[in-house]
């Protein structure tokens, strides 16, 4: 066989299979021999389930076990119905040896840690979540968020301070996390910010519907040296400046008004979300014109010169 044919045969021959080396398993080996400490979070595959334990394959030189009591906070949790071989579970290392060379793990602790981390994120991002008030307690109410008991102060249930907190039991409010302390297991929520934001949006919509020139009834809310704040029939509040209260000059609004008094006002301006009102303009529109005799319906004028001098003694 010529040298040319020999080279050709060598080129067409199948390349030998690549030989595996330890380098190909470096990641697996490193994972297998890494040192696991108490407090670490580990993830494994369920290798077996008994009435009292779950065995995990962690892909390391040791396995892990989770006792039934450390699987869930749910009192109705059914181990064999909820956990199956092949499931993936993340758990926290509680002990390095159960006496049989396995790590003692807790899924409850892992879930708690993840939950408090989530609370911290919600607080940072000011996430709004709906919660239902469970009971009234001293200084506020309680609710549950992601299974954790939370406290809502009376000053933060609604837009303003709530005197009777029992009225809120069973109600759902939109709240934000304002304190999350995993060490003290203290979770505090607030519904005040979202409630005030809703009020402001509602007020903005109602003000947008107010037209300059509209006449409404209202109640005097407070009196100030510069004017009177009046709550209108639509729930909005506006200022009636002292110069717009009366057609007469007055030194103080109390000269003609008192708190709680029912009045009629006219909207004379809407600016920057504020209403300017006038009582004076309403008075002017309601004032009767000077009385003029109505001759159209009084019959004919029958007074004569004789009538004028009748009874006059000369």
């Amino acid at each position: 066989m010529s040298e040319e044919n020999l080279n050709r045969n060598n080129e067409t021959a199948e390349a030998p299979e690549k030989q595996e080396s330890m380098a190909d398993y470096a990641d697996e080996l490193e994972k297998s021999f890494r040192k696991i400490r108490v407090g670490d979070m580990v993830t494994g595959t369920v290798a077996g389930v008994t009435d009292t334990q779950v065995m995990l394959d962690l892909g390391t030189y040791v396995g892990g076990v989770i006792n039934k009591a450390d699987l869930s906070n749910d009192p109705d949790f059914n181990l064999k119905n909820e956990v199956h071989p092949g499931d993936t579970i993340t758990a926290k290392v509680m002990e390095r040896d159960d006496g049989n060379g396995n790590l003692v793990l807790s899924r409850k602790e892992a879930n708690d840690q993840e939950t408090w981390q989530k609370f911290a994120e919600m607080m940072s991002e000011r996430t709004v979540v709906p919660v239902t008030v469970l009971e009234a307690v001293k200084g506020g109410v309680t609710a549950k968020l992601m299974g954790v008991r939370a406290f809502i102060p009376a000053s933060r249930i609604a837009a303003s301070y709530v005197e009777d907190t029992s009225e809120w039991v069973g109600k759902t409010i939109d709240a934000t996390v304002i304190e999350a302390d995993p060490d003290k297991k203290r979770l505090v929520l607030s519904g005040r910010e979202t409630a005030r934001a809703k009020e402001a949006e509602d007020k903005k919509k109602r003000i947008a519907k107010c037209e300059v020139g509209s006449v409404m009834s209202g109640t005097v809310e407070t009196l100030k040296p510069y004017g009177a704040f009046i709550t209108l029939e639509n729930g909005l509040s506006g200022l009636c400046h002292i110069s717009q209260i009366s057609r007469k000059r007055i030194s103080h609004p109390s000269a003609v008004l008192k708190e709680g008094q029912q009045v009629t006002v006219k909207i004379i301006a809407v600016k920057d979300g504020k209403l300017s009102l006038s009582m004076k303009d309403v008075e002017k529109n309601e004032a009767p014109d000077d009385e003029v005799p109505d001759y159209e319906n009084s019959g004919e004028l029958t007074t004569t010169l004789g009538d004028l001098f009748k009874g006059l003694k000369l």
Side-chain angles (χ1 to χ4, degrees):
M1 180 180 296
S2 66
E3 184 177 350
E4 182 180 350
N5 290 335
L6 182 61
N7 291 337
R8 187 179 298 112
N9 289 337
N10 288 338
E11 291 174 358
T12 57
E14 292 184 1
E17 293 184 0
K18 181 181 179 181
Q19 297 296 317
E20 294 180 342
S21 66
M22 293 297 289
D24 297 312
Y25 298 96
D27 291 340
E28 286 78 3
L29 287 171
E30 183 179 352
K31 179 180 178 181
S32 177
F33 290 104
R34 74 181 179 88
K35 189 173 183 179
I36 299 176
R37 299 177 176 82
V38 172
D40 285 353
M41 303 289 285
V42 294
T43 301
T45 303
V46 176
V49 181
T50 69
D51 291 333
T52 60
Q53 278 187 336
V54 171
M55 283 71 73
L56 286 187
D57 178 1
L58 302 173
T60 65
Y61 62 95
V62 293
V65 294
I66 307 176
N67 294 317
K68 181 179 180 180
D70 294 320
L71 278 165
S72 174
N73 287 314
D74 186 353
D76 299 323
F77 180 80
N78 187 303
L79 193 157
K80 286 197 169 182
N81 287 344
E82 300 290 340
V83 183
H84 307 89
D87 290 349
T88 299
I89 291 179
T90 297
K92 186 176 182 178
V93 179
M94 307 304 294
E95 299 177 30
R96 294 191 62 187
D97 192 344
D98 68 342
N100 295 314
N102 296 309
L103 297 172
V104 179
L105 310 173
S106 172
R107 187 171 75 168
K108 283 200 309 185
E109 288 290 332
N111 289 344
D112 285 347
Q113 186 168 320
E114 291 176 356
T115 297
W116 286 96
Q117 287 176 348
K118 181 63 176 177
F119 290 155
E121 292 174 5
M122 294 169 67
M123 181 167 60
S124 175
E125 297 172 2
R126 297 182 181 180
T127 305
V128 177
V129 290
V131 294
T132 301
V133 176
L134 299 178
E135 60 177 339
V137 295
K138 183 179 180 180
V141 296
T142 65
K144 273 196 174 181
L145 179 59
M146 296 174 61
V148 178
R149 185 176 183 273
F151 175 68
I152 309 175
S155 61
R156 290 181 174 271
I157 298 172
S160 56
Y161 186 87
V162 174
E163 292 288 349
D164 188 0
T165 56
S166 63
E167 293 182 351
W168 287 80
V169 176
K171 293 183 179 181
T172 299
I173 63 174
D174 289 330
T176 55
V177 178
I178 60 173
E179 184 180 346
D181 189 333
D183 296 329
K184 296 180 180 179
K185 301 298 182 185
R186 178 176 169 81
L187 180 64
V188 182
L189 309 179
S190 174
R192 186 175 67 187
E193 292 74 17
T194 52
R196 287 183 176 178
K198 286 181 179 179
E199 279 192 356
E201 183 62 26
D202 179 59
K203 180 180 178 181
K204 183 179 179 180
K205 290 179 179 178
R206 284 185 290 163
I207 286 180
K209 295 179 180 180
C210 291
E211 297 182 358
V212 173
S214 298
V215 176
M216 295 185 183
S217 62
T219 304
V220 177
E221 184 180 343
T222 54
L223 297 176
K224 300 292 182 181
Y226 52 84
F229 286 96
I230 298 172
T231 301
L232 303 178
E233 59 190 59
N234 60 5
L236 296 174
S237 180
L239 173 64
C240 184
H241 190 266
I242 190 170
S243 63
Q244 294 294 328
I245 291 177
S246 175
R247 297 175 69 185
K248 299 178 181 179
R249 186 180 180 87
I250 58 176
S251 59
H252 193 279
S254 60
V256 293
L257 294 175
K258 61 181 179 179
E259 294 181 1
Q261 181 178 339
Q262 298 295 310
V263 295
T264 302
V265 296
K266 181 179 182 180
I267 299 175
I268 58 174
V270 180
K271 185 178 180 181
D272 299 329
K274 298 178 181 179
L275 301 178
S276 294
L277 311 175
S278 175
M279 292 173 58
K280 184 172 67 175
D281 278 10
V282 177
E283 286 182 8
K284 183 171 61 178
N285 292 337
E286 292 179 347
D289 295 331
D290 293 336
E291 292 186 3
V292 177
D294 183 3
Y295 296 111
E296 293 182 2
N297 300 314
S298 61
E300 294 182 359
L301 294 176
T302 58
T303 302
T304 64
L305 185 61
D307 292 327
L308 292 174
F309 288 98
K310 185 177 181 180
L312 182 64
K313 294 181 180 180
L314 299 175

